[in-house]
């Protein structure tokens, strides 16, 4: 009887370890990777890299700001990935390609629901497969 209990516990532990390993392995595959050597894209000119909305009211709902992003270089720039750090912020661009001496619009929307107080949110935008990045932001106070 003791041998059966021991074998059962051993199989149970092996199953738990296998499940734990499988979950961890799948999580690591889905993680986004960033180029640690990426440089800030100073050739992109943003009309206001950090926009302060000021005081807003939660009951008034979502607020947005449109950033103009100008490519001052002679190279075509491609937006590879847009990452928001919070579900209260969303970002959309009118084009994922910025041609030389041309501009695009980036619309950042903030949802103040349950976010009373000061906020400062940034959008991480990877360019040219992660070689460059920009981080426009939006801030304000929710009353």
């Amino acid at each position: 009887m003791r041998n059966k209990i021991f074998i059962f516990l051993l199989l149970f532990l092996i199953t738990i370890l296998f499940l734990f390993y499988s979950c961890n392995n799948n999580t690591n595959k889905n993680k986004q990777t960033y180029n640690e050597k990426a440089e800030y894209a100073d050739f992109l000119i943003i009309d206001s890299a950090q926009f302060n909305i000021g005081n807003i009211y939660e009951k008034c709902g979502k607020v947005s700001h449109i950033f103009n992003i100008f490519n001052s270089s002679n190279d075509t720039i491609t937006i590879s990935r847009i990452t928001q750090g919070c579900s209260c912020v969303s970002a959309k661009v009118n084009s994922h390609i910025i041609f030389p001496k041309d501009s695009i619009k980036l619309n950042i929307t903030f949802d103040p629901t349950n976010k009373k107080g000061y906020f400062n949110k940034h959008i991480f935008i990877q360019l040219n497969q992660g070689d460059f990045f920009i981080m426009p932001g939006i801030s304000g106070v929710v009353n």
Side-chain angles (χ1 to χ4, degrees):
M1 181 73 173
R2 282 187 177 175
N3 284 342
K4 288 182 180 180
I5 293 173
F6 177 75
I7 291 172
F8 174 76
L9 289 174
L10 184 62
L11 289 174
F12 181 73
L13 284 172
I14 290 171
T15 303
I16 296 296
L17 288 173
F18 176 76
L19 290 174
F20 178 74
Y21 174 76
S22 296
C23 290
N24 264 354
N25 201 21
N26 288 340
T27 302
N28 290 337
K29 287 180 185 175
N30 293 330
K31 284 186 179 175
Q32 294 178 350
T33 57
Y34 300 104
N35 182 352
E36 292 177 4
K37 295 180 182 177
E39 298 177 28
Y40 188 81
D42 56 1
F43 49 84
L44 291 183
I45 301 169
I46 306 173
D47 57 357
S48 58
Q50 179 69 33
F51 183 76
N52 187 336
I53 290 179
N55 290 312
I56 61 173
Y57 293 93
E58 180 180 4
K59 64 183 177 187
C60 292
K62 297 178 181 179
V63 292
S64 297
H65 177 71
I66 296 176
F67 293 84
N68 292 305
I69 302 173
F70 177 76
N71 179 3
S72 66
S73 76
N74 293 320
D75 298 318
T76 298
I77 305 300
T78 303
I79 295 177
S80 309
R81 180 181 294 149
I82 299 175
T83 306
Q84 297 86 240
C86 174
S87 62
C88 62
V89 178
S90 63
K92 293 180 183 173
V93 291
N94 65 332
S95 174
H96 280 78
I97 297 174
I98 314 172
F99 294 104
K101 311 301 183 210
D102 199 4
S103 62
I104 64 164
K105 295 190 182 307
L106 167 69
N107 186 357
I108 296 182
T109 302
F110 173 73
D111 183 354
T113 305
N114 299 321
K115 302 289 184 200
K116 294 253 186 212
Y118 176 77
F119 69 91
N120 185 10
K121 304 294 180 182
H122 286 87
I123 304 297
F124 184 80
I125 302 175
Q126 276 187 313
L127 309 164
N128 292 0
Q129 300 301 318
D131 292 337
F132 300 96
F133 70 92
I134 56 174
M135 287 183 60
I138 191 169
S139 62
V141 177
V142 178
N143 296 306

